Amino acid sequence: MSAHVTERLALAAAGALDAGEAERVAAHLGECEACAARAAEWRQLADAMHRLPQPRPDPVLVARTREAVEALVAERAERAFNQAALGFAVALAWTLAIVGWFVFDLVAGELALRLARPIGSAAAWYAAYLLAGWVAAAAAAVMLGRRTQEEGRLV
Amino acid sequence: MDADREDAAKLGKGDTSGLAGLMNRHQDRLFRYLLRLVGDTSVAEDVFQQTWLNVAERIRRYDPARPFAPWLVTVARNLALDQLRRRKMLSLEEAEEPLAPASASDPHERAMARQSAARVDAALGALGPLDREVLTLRFEDELELPELAATLAVPLPTAKARLYRALERLRAKLLTSPAPGGRR
């Protein structure tokens, strides 16, 4: 008779032996009553493991989880949109600032020629334009900040 | 599963209908796994919710060439183990818990053959989290040994040894717990 395979029986019942080991165990069980009886016990334990009560999540928990994830996804989408909008606004502001200088230089020169009198330097008009831009941007930032604060209070 | 990949792609694009599909297919298995691992319903519920939030946050890191379920279990497992460590529910002492002698053969041992699933469930609950985890992954989720090893992030021989020790400890618990009707 081959050597006892006691230590392999638990894994055999769990279906966790490789093909060679499983064959050796099966061959031994055919000739050893003691190991065969023990293997039957392990198989019954394994069967009981397969028949364990199956707990399921509470539907309230599932609904709450879905709501939380949907809120997270919506927040992430809004954050991505805000970041894109901010990037676009910054790029636009720089473009306008650079293009603005040439436009003011051209318009101020042409206008002075057509009116036949000085209307002030292009640099002064440009500085006023930039200042107005900064004031508008600051006002927009303050309004957005207040809105965000109010939304935070509502949540 | 193709449906999982499609739903994961939808969720990655911010379409929450993808979440509904993923949850419908995986919520029961995930909850059962977490409950077995942490052994406490309220903790399992917390980790269940946090797992899906993490899935939504990290869905772009999911590799659609691989199945979704093991990735989901990995996310859940990391969160659950963090919770267990934080709550000091994860004890390493269980590794030193004595196993019942493998060669014992007496009436108690024969009683093992008459185990009801409910009794086995109670004995399972008395095991350590890592033992419960390996047993539920093998018997309830029916993971093959290589998948089991991948989920536990250990080499295959380690997964096998862990499964063997968990089975022996479960058997030891059954042998020392009262049998139905007061008999042992």
Side-chain angles (χ1 to χ4, degrees):
Chain A
M1 188 171 72
S2 56
H4 289 302
V5 289
T6 318
E7 293 193 349
R8 287 278 169 269
L9 297 178
L11 290 174
L17 293 182
D18 61 42
E21 282 180 308
E23 268 179 35
R24 278 195 295 280
V25 169
H28 178 75
L29 295 185
E31 59 190 24
C32 176
E33 278 185 22
C35 284
R38 185 176 284 273
E41 290 161 7
W42 277 116
R43 275 197 300 276
Q44 293 200 30
L45 177 56
D47 287 345
M49 284 294 296
H50 285 298
R51 288 184 282 106
L52 286 175
Q54 298 296 295
R56 301 183 67 182
D58 187 330
V60 175
L61 168 70
V62 173
R64 203 172 61 217
T65 301
R66 278 192 192 176
E67 280 172 19
V69 175
E70 282 169 3
L72 178 80
V73 170
E75 187 190 318
R76 200 176 58 185
E78 190 180 341
R79 209 166 49 223
F81 175 80
N82 287 346
Q83 281 175 350
L86 185 66
F88 176 76
V90 169
L92 182 67
W94 275 105
T95 306
L96 289 177
I98 293 165
V99 171
W101 167 253
F102 295 103
V103 172
F104 272 102
D105 192 38
L106 186 70
V107 169
E110 282 290 315
L111 207 58
L113 273 179
R114 281 176 184 268
L115 295 175
R117 63 189 174 91
I119 59 163
S121 72
W125 283 105
Y126 184 64
Y129 164 72
L130 285 187
L131 186 66
W134 276 105
V135 169
V142 168
M143 285 165 69
L144 277 174
R146 279 188 184 165
R147 192 189 124 191
T148 306
Q149 270 186 342
E150 280 175 14
E151 281 177 353
R153 273 199 293 273
L154 288 175
V155 172
Chain B
M1 190 188 289
D2 286 343
D4 281 347
R5 289 185 188 120
E6 281 173 23
D7 285 338
K10 280 186 192 171
L11 185 59
K13 290 174 189 162
D15 178 354
T16 49
S17 70
L19 170 78
L22 291 170
M23 283 189 75
N24 284 340
R25 281 189 296 280
H26 297 284
Q27 66 191 22
D28 289 353
R29 181 185 171 219
L30 175 68
F31 183 73
R32 186 186 62 224
Y33 167 76
L34 287 171
L35 192 56
R36 297 278 185 238
L37 178 54
V38 302
D40 179 289
T41 304
S42 68
V43 178
E45 288 183 347
D46 284 351
V47 180
F48 177 86
Q49 180 161 341
Q50 193 56 48
T51 298
W52 287 109
L53 286 168
N54 275 25
V55 164
E57 282 273 17
R58 301 176 184 182
I59 194 68
R60 287 176 191 156
R61 295 188 210 168
Y62 162 62
D63 175 6
R66 293 166 181 265
F68 178 76
W71 184 75
L72 174 67
V73 170
T74 304
V75 173
R77 183 172 198 265
N78 290 337
L79 287 167
L81 293 182
D82 280 350
Q83 278 287 330
L84 289 174
R85 283 189 200 104
R86 205 170 301 148
R87 294 165 192 249
K88 302 196 189 305
M89 291 162 77
L90 185 64
S91 166
L92 295 177
E93 286 170 17
E94 67 192 20
E96 292 161 15
E97 191 175 304
L99 302 175
S103 59
S105 181
D106 55 34
H108 295 317
E109 196 173 33
R110 298 294 173 214
M112 193 170 81
R114 297 192 297 273
Q115 298 315 321
S116 67
R119 193 157 171 246
V120 172
D121 191 29
L124 185 66
L127 295 179
L130 300 182
D131 284 344
R132 291 196 300 263
E133 179 188 33
V134 72
L135 292 173
T136 192
L137 287 173
R138 178 64 196 106
F139 290 99
E140 296 185 286
D141 292 342
E142 301 188 334
L143 295 191
E144 295 297 331
L145 212 53
E147 296 170 293
L148 186 65
T151 302
L152 299 177
V154 295
L156 199 133
T158 306
K160 204 168 178 176
R162 204 178 275 185
L163 177 61
Y164 172 72
R165 283 199 300 270
L167 280 164
E168 284 288 7
R169 286 195 189 102
L170 177 63
R171 173 175 162 273
K173 290 284 181 202
L174 284 165
L175 291 177
T176 55
S177 68
R183 285 182 302 125
R184 290 187 56 177

PDB file of all heavy atoms in Angstrom, chain A residues 38-62:
ATOM      1  N   ARG A  38     -11.631   9.381   5.883  1.00  0.00           N
ATOM      2  CA  ARG A  38     -11.279  10.774   6.194  1.00  0.00           C
ATOM      3  C   ARG A  38     -11.558  11.685   4.993  1.00  0.00           C
ATOM      4  O   ARG A  38     -12.044  12.815   5.148  1.00  0.00           O
ATOM      5  CB  ARG A  38      -9.809  10.852   6.588  1.00  0.00           C
ATOM      6  CG  ARG A  38      -9.379  12.217   7.050  1.00  0.00           C
ATOM      7  CD  ARG A  38      -7.960  12.190   7.517  1.00  0.00           C
ATOM      8  NE  ARG A  38      -7.845  11.582   8.837  1.00  0.00           N
ATOM      9  CZ  ARG A  38      -7.978  12.270   9.974  1.00  0.00           C
ATOM     10  NH1 ARG A  38      -8.228  13.559   9.932  1.00  0.00           N
ATOM     11  NH2 ARG A  38      -7.869  11.668  11.120  1.00  0.00           N
ATOM     12  N   ALA A  39     -11.299  11.178   3.797  1.00  0.00           N
ATOM     13  CA  ALA A  39     -11.555  11.973   2.582  1.00  0.00           C
ATOM     14  C   ALA A  39     -13.045  12.258   2.448  1.00  0.00           C
ATOM     15  O   ALA A  39     -13.434  13.367   2.050  1.00  0.00           O
ATOM     16  CB  ALA A  39     -11.055  11.223   1.356  1.00  0.00           C
ATOM     17  N   ALA A  40     -13.882  11.275   2.819  1.00  0.00           N
ATOM     18  CA  ALA A  40     -15.337  11.480   2.739  1.00  0.00           C
ATOM     19  C   ALA A  40     -15.763  12.598   3.690  1.00  0.00           C
ATOM     20  O   ALA A  40     -16.628  13.414   3.377  1.00  0.00           O
ATOM     21  CB  ALA A  40     -16.057  10.179   3.080  1.00  0.00           C
ATOM     22  N   GLU A  41     -15.123  12.625   4.875  1.00  0.00           N
ATOM     23  CA  GLU A  41     -15.450  13.678   5.838  1.00  0.00           C
ATOM     24  C   GLU A  41     -15.082  15.052   5.286  1.00  0.00           C
ATOM     25  O   GLU A  41     -15.841  16.017   5.381  1.00  0.00           O
ATOM     26  CB  GLU A  41     -14.710  13.434   7.153  1.00  0.00           C
ATOM     27  CG  GLU A  41     -15.259  12.233   7.910  1.00  0.00           C
ATOM     28  CD  GLU A  41     -14.277  11.709   8.942  1.00  0.00           C
ATOM     29  OE1 GLU A  41     -13.229  12.351   9.155  1.00  0.00           O
ATOM     30  OE2 GLU A  41     -14.550  10.644   9.525  1.00  0.00           O
ATOM     31  N   TRP A  42     -13.896  15.129   4.688  1.00  0.00           N
ATOM     32  CA  TRP A  42     -13.476  16.416   4.107  1.00  0.00           C
ATOM     33  C   TRP A  42     -14.416  16.834   2.977  1.00  0.00           C
ATOM     34  O   TRP A  42     -14.733  18.005   2.830  1.00  0.00           O
ATOM     35  CB  TRP A  42     -12.038  16.328   3.581  1.00  0.00           C
ATOM     36  CG  TRP A  42     -10.997  16.529   4.641  1.00  0.00           C
ATOM     37  CD1 TRP A  42     -10.079  15.629   5.074  1.00  0.00           C
ATOM     38  CD2 TRP A  42     -10.760  17.721   5.396  1.00  0.00           C
ATOM     39  NE1 TRP A  42      -9.293  16.172   6.061  1.00  0.00           N
ATOM     40  CE2 TRP A  42      -9.693  17.454   6.270  1.00  0.00           C
ATOM     41  CE3 TRP A  42     -11.354  18.970   5.427  1.00  0.00           C
ATOM     42  CZ2 TRP A  42      -9.202  18.405   7.152  1.00  0.00           C
ATOM     43  CZ3 TRP A  42     -10.869  19.924   6.311  1.00  0.00           C
ATOM     44  CH2 TRP A  42      -9.797  19.631   7.155  1.00  0.00           C
ATOM     45  N   ARG A  43     -14.861  15.852   2.197  1.00  0.00           N
ATOM     46  CA  ARG A  43     -15.774  16.184   1.090  1.00  0.00           C
ATOM     47  C   ARG A  43     -17.091  16.730   1.639  1.00  0.00           C
ATOM     48  O   ARG A  43     -17.669  17.661   1.082  1.00  0.00           O
ATOM     49  CB  ARG A  43     -16.032  14.965   0.216  1.00  0.00           C
ATOM     50  CG  ARG A  43     -14.949  14.760  -0.860  1.00  0.00           C
ATOM     51  CD  ARG A  43     -15.427  13.834  -1.953  1.00  0.00           C
ATOM     52  NE  ARG A  43     -15.767  12.509  -1.442  1.00  0.00           N
ATOM     53  CZ  ARG A  43     -14.883  11.523  -1.246  1.00  0.00           C
ATOM     54  NH1 ARG A  43     -13.613  11.712  -1.539  1.00  0.00           N
ATOM     55  NH2 ARG A  43     -15.262  10.359  -0.775  1.00  0.00           N
ATOM     56  N   GLN A  44     -17.538  16.149   2.759  1.00  0.00           N
ATOM     57  CA  GLN A  44     -18.803  16.639   3.333  1.00  0.00           C
ATOM     58  C   GLN A  44     -18.629  18.060   3.866  1.00  0.00           C
ATOM     59  O   GLN A  44     -19.528  18.891   3.760  1.00  0.00           O
ATOM     60  CB  GLN A  44     -19.277  15.695   4.424  1.00  0.00           C
ATOM     61  CG  GLN A  44     -19.669  14.360   3.816  1.00  0.00           C
ATOM     62  CD  GLN A  44     -20.588  13.554   4.707  1.00  0.00           C
ATOM     63  OE1 GLN A  44     -21.366  14.104   5.480  1.00  0.00           O
ATOM     64  NE2 GLN A  44     -20.500  12.243   4.601  1.00  0.00           N
ATOM     65  N   LEU A  45     -17.457  18.316   4.441  1.00  0.00           N
ATOM     66  CA  LEU A  45     -17.195  19.681   4.910  1.00  0.00           C
ATOM     67  C   LEU A  45     -17.168  20.640   3.709  1.00  0.00           C
ATOM     68  O   LEU A  45     -17.721  21.746   3.759  1.00  0.00           O
ATOM     69  CB  LEU A  45     -15.865  19.740   5.673  1.00  0.00           C
ATOM     70  CG  LEU A  45     -15.428  21.116   6.169  1.00  0.00           C
ATOM     71  CD1 LEU A  45     -16.492  21.756   7.054  1.00  0.00           C
ATOM     72  CD2 LEU A  45     -14.109  21.036   6.927  1.00  0.00           C
ATOM     73  N   ALA A  46     -16.519  20.209   2.627  1.00  0.00           N
ATOM     74  CA  ALA A  46     -16.455  21.049   1.423  1.00  0.00           C
ATOM     75  C   ALA A  46     -17.857  21.291   0.868  1.00  0.00           C
ATOM     76  O   ALA A  46     -18.186  22.412   0.468  1.00  0.00           O
ATOM     77  CB  ALA A  46     -15.565  20.383   0.367  1.00  0.00           C
ATOM     78  N   ASP A  47     -18.705  20.243   0.890  1.00  0.00           N
ATOM     79  CA  ASP A  47     -20.091  20.410   0.415  1.00  0.00           C
ATOM     80  C   ASP A  47     -20.823  21.440   1.267  1.00  0.00           C
ATOM     81  O   ASP A  47     -21.565  22.275   0.758  1.00  0.00           O
ATOM     82  CB  ASP A  47     -20.851  19.075   0.484  1.00  0.00           C
ATOM     83  CG  ASP A  47     -20.391  18.120  -0.604  1.00  0.00           C
ATOM     84  OD1 ASP A  47     -19.718  18.585  -1.543  1.00  0.00           O
ATOM     85  OD2 ASP A  47     -20.691  16.907  -0.497  1.00  0.00           O
ATOM     86  N   ALA A  48     -20.613  21.342   2.599  1.00  0.00           N
ATOM     87  CA  ALA A  48     -21.268  22.304   3.499  1.00  0.00           C
ATOM     88  C   ALA A  48     -20.789  23.720   3.197  1.00  0.00           C
ATOM     89  O   ALA A  48     -21.563  24.682   3.255  1.00  0.00           O
ATOM     90  CB  ALA A  48     -20.986  21.940   4.953  1.00  0.00           C
ATOM     91  N   MET A  49     -19.499  23.862   2.864  1.00  0.00           N
ATOM     92  CA  MET A  49     -18.968  25.194   2.508  1.00  0.00           C
ATOM     93  C   MET A  49     -19.662  25.739   1.269  1.00  0.00           C
ATOM     94  O   MET A  49     -19.891  26.939   1.151  1.00  0.00           O
ATOM     95  CB  MET A  49     -17.453  25.108   2.246  1.00  0.00           C
ATOM     96  CG  MET A  49     -16.597  24.993   3.483  1.00  0.00           C
ATOM     97  SD  MET A  49     -16.664  26.470   4.506  1.00  0.00           S
ATOM     98  CE  MET A  49     -15.930  27.689   3.428  1.00  0.00           C
ATOM     99  N   HIS A  50     -19.973  24.851   0.327  1.00  0.00           N
ATOM    100  CA  HIS A  50     -20.657  25.297  -0.898  1.00  0.00           C
ATOM    101  C   HIS A  50     -22.109  25.673  -0.625  1.00  0.00           C
ATOM    102  O   HIS A  50     -22.730  26.330  -1.435  1.00  0.00           O
ATOM    103  CB  HIS A  50     -20.622  24.184  -1.956  1.00  0.00           C
ATOM    104  CG  HIS A  50     -19.278  24.032  -2.606  1.00  0.00           C
ATOM    105  ND1 HIS A  50     -18.686  25.034  -3.333  1.00  0.00           N
ATOM    106  CD2 HIS A  50     -18.411  22.991  -2.640  1.00  0.00           C
ATOM    107  CE1 HIS A  50     -17.518  24.617  -3.788  1.00  0.00           C
ATOM    108  NE2 HIS A  50     -17.316  23.385  -3.369  1.00  0.00           N
ATOM    109  N   ARG A  51     -22.651  25.189   0.521  1.00  0.00           N
ATOM    110  CA  ARG A  51     -24.062  25.443   0.814  1.00  0.00           C
ATOM    111  C   ARG A  51     -24.233  26.491   1.917  1.00  0.00           C
ATOM    112  O   ARG A  51     -25.291  26.583   2.534  1.00  0.00           O
ATOM    113  CB  ARG A  51     -24.743  24.134   1.239  1.00  0.00           C
ATOM    114  CG  ARG A  51     -24.955  23.155   0.080  1.00  0.00           C
ATOM    115  CD  ARG A  51     -25.724  21.925   0.522  1.00  0.00           C
ATOM    116  NE  ARG A  51     -24.874  20.965   1.241  1.00  0.00           N
ATOM    117  CZ  ARG A  51     -24.905  20.756   2.550  1.00  0.00           C
ATOM    118  NH1 ARG A  51     -25.712  21.431   3.317  1.00  0.00           N
ATOM    119  NH2 ARG A  51     -24.096  19.870   3.102  1.00  0.00           N
ATOM    120  N   LEU A  52     -23.210  27.287   2.165  1.00  0.00           N
ATOM    121  CA  LEU A  52     -23.307  28.301   3.218  1.00  0.00           C
ATOM    122  C   LEU A  52     -24.410  29.304   2.898  1.00  0.00           C
ATOM    123  O   LEU A  52     -24.678  29.565   1.714  1.00  0.00           O
ATOM    124  CB  LEU A  52     -21.979  29.050   3.337  1.00  0.00           C
ATOM    125  CG  LEU A  52     -20.824  28.312   4.003  1.00  0.00           C
ATOM    126  CD1 LEU A  52     -19.565  29.157   3.915  1.00  0.00           C
ATOM    127  CD2 LEU A  52     -21.151  27.997   5.457  1.00  0.00           C
ATOM    128  N   PRO A  53     -25.040  29.873   3.931  1.00  0.00           N
ATOM    129  CA  PRO A  53     -26.022  30.932   3.675  1.00  0.00           C
ATOM    130  C   PRO A  53     -25.357  32.065   2.883  1.00  0.00           C
ATOM    131  O   PRO A  53     -24.192  32.386   3.137  1.00  0.00           O
ATOM    132  CB  PRO A  53     -26.405  31.424   5.082  1.00  0.00           C
ATOM    133  CG  PRO A  53     -25.938  30.370   6.015  1.00  0.00           C
ATOM    134  CD  PRO A  53     -24.824  29.630   5.359  1.00  0.00           C
ATOM    135  N   GLN A  54     -26.081  32.615   1.937  1.00  0.00           N
ATOM    136  CA  GLN A  54     -25.510  33.646   1.065  1.00  0.00           C
ATOM    137  C   GLN A  54     -26.060  35.028   1.427  1.00  0.00           C
ATOM    138  O   GLN A  54     -27.154  35.395   0.988  1.00  0.00           O
ATOM    139  CB  GLN A  54     -25.821  33.330  -0.401  1.00  0.00           C
ATOM    140  CG  GLN A  54     -25.221  32.012  -0.867  1.00  0.00           C
ATOM    141  CD  GLN A  54     -23.703  32.031  -0.831  1.00  0.00           C
ATOM    142  OE1 GLN A  54     -23.078  32.793  -1.568  1.00  0.00           O
ATOM    143  NE2 GLN A  54     -23.106  31.231   0.018  1.00  0.00           N
ATOM    144  N   PRO A  55     -25.335  35.785   2.248  1.00  0.00           N
ATOM    145  CA  PRO A  55     -25.828  37.112   2.620  1.00  0.00           C
ATOM    146  C   PRO A  55     -25.839  38.044   1.401  1.00  0.00           C
ATOM    147  O   PRO A  55     -24.970  37.942   0.530  1.00  0.00           O
ATOM    148  CB  PRO A  55     -24.804  37.597   3.653  1.00  0.00           C
ATOM    149  CG  PRO A  55     -23.576  36.810   3.371  1.00  0.00           C
ATOM    150  CD  PRO A  55     -24.012  35.509   2.796  1.00  0.00           C
ATOM    151  N   ARG A  56     -26.829  38.919   1.340  1.00  0.00           N
ATOM    152  CA  ARG A  56     -26.914  39.879   0.231  1.00  0.00           C
ATOM    153  C   ARG A  56     -26.954  41.289   0.806  1.00  0.00           C
ATOM    154  O   ARG A  56     -27.415  41.488   1.935  1.00  0.00           O
ATOM    155  CB  ARG A  56     -28.165  39.613  -0.594  1.00  0.00           C
ATOM    156  CG  ARG A  56     -28.178  38.204  -1.167  1.00  0.00           C
ATOM    157  CD  ARG A  56     -29.372  37.993  -2.040  1.00  0.00           C
ATOM    158  NE  ARG A  56     -29.287  38.820  -3.242  1.00  0.00           N
ATOM    159  CZ  ARG A  56     -30.227  38.855  -4.166  1.00  0.00           C
ATOM    160  NH1 ARG A  56     -31.306  38.152  -4.029  1.00  0.00           N
ATOM    161  NH2 ARG A  56     -30.082  39.612  -5.236  1.00  0.00           N
ATOM    162  N   PRO A  57     -26.491  42.262   0.044  1.00  0.00           N
ATOM    163  CA  PRO A  57     -26.507  43.638   0.574  1.00  0.00           C
ATOM    164  C   PRO A  57     -27.934  44.168   0.685  1.00  0.00           C
ATOM    165  O   PRO A  57     -28.777  43.852  -0.148  1.00  0.00           O
ATOM    166  CB  PRO A  57     -25.707  44.424  -0.465  1.00  0.00           C
ATOM    167  CG  PRO A  57     -25.811  43.623  -1.718  1.00  0.00           C
ATOM    168  CD  PRO A  57     -25.923  42.194  -1.306  1.00  0.00           C
ATOM    169  N   ASP A  58     -28.159  44.958   1.723  1.00  0.00           N
ATOM    170  CA  ASP A  58     -29.458  45.599   1.930  1.00  0.00           C
ATOM    171  C   ASP A  58     -29.751  46.524   0.737  1.00  0.00           C
ATOM    172  O   ASP A  58     -28.883  47.299   0.343  1.00  0.00           O
ATOM    173  CB  ASP A  58     -29.350  46.427   3.236  1.00  0.00           C
ATOM    174  CG  ASP A  58     -30.679  47.002   3.653  1.00  0.00           C
ATOM    175  OD1 ASP A  58     -31.504  47.283   2.759  1.00  0.00           O
ATOM    176  OD2 ASP A  58     -30.880  47.187   4.866  1.00  0.00           O
ATOM    177  N   PRO A  59     -30.970  46.452   0.168  1.00  0.00           N
ATOM    178  CA  PRO A  59     -31.290  47.340  -0.967  1.00  0.00           C
ATOM    179  C   PRO A  59     -31.084  48.821  -0.641  1.00  0.00           C
ATOM    180  O   PRO A  59     -30.742  49.610  -1.522  1.00  0.00           O
ATOM    181  CB  PRO A  59     -32.765  47.040  -1.241  1.00  0.00           C
ATOM    182  CG  PRO A  59     -33.000  45.674  -0.697  1.00  0.00           C
ATOM    183  CD  PRO A  59     -32.063  45.524   0.467  1.00  0.00           C
ATOM    184  N   VAL A  60     -31.306  49.193   0.633  1.00  0.00           N
ATOM    185  CA  VAL A  60     -31.092  50.597   1.023  1.00  0.00           C
ATOM    186  C   VAL A  60     -29.617  50.953   0.867  1.00  0.00           C
ATOM    187  O   VAL A  60     -29.262  52.035   0.385  1.00  0.00           O
ATOM    188  CB  VAL A  60     -31.560  50.838   2.480  1.00  0.00           C
ATOM    189  CG1 VAL A  60     -31.233  52.254   2.927  1.00  0.00           C
ATOM    190  CG2 VAL A  60     -33.049  50.562   2.603  1.00  0.00           C
ATOM    191  N   LEU A  61     -28.750  50.033   1.276  1.00  0.00           N
ATOM    192  CA  LEU A  61     -27.303  50.257   1.134  1.00  0.00           C
ATOM    193  C   LEU A  61     -26.935  50.395  -0.349  1.00  0.00           C
ATOM    194  O   LEU A  61     -26.160  51.273  -0.732  1.00  0.00           O
ATOM    195  CB  LEU A  61     -26.537  49.085   1.761  1.00  0.00           C
ATOM    196  CG  LEU A  61     -25.035  49.028   1.449  1.00  0.00           C
ATOM    197  CD1 LEU A  61     -24.306  50.171   2.155  1.00  0.00           C
ATOM    198  CD2 LEU A  61     -24.439  47.679   1.864  1.00  0.00           C
ATOM    199  N   VAL A  62     -27.521  49.529  -1.173  1.00  0.00           N
ATOM    200  CA  VAL A  62     -27.210  49.567  -2.611  1.00  0.00           C
ATOM    201  C   VAL A  62     -27.649  50.910  -3.198  1.00  0.00           C
ATOM    202  O   VAL A  62     -26.890  51.561  -3.941  1.00  0.00           O
ATOM    203  CB  VAL A  62     -27.897  48.388  -3.339  1.00  0.00           C
ATOM    204  CG1 VAL A  62     -27.729  48.516  -4.841  1.00  0.00           C
ATOM    205  CG2 VAL A  62     -27.317  47.064  -2.852  1.00  0.00           C
TER     206      VAL A  62
END
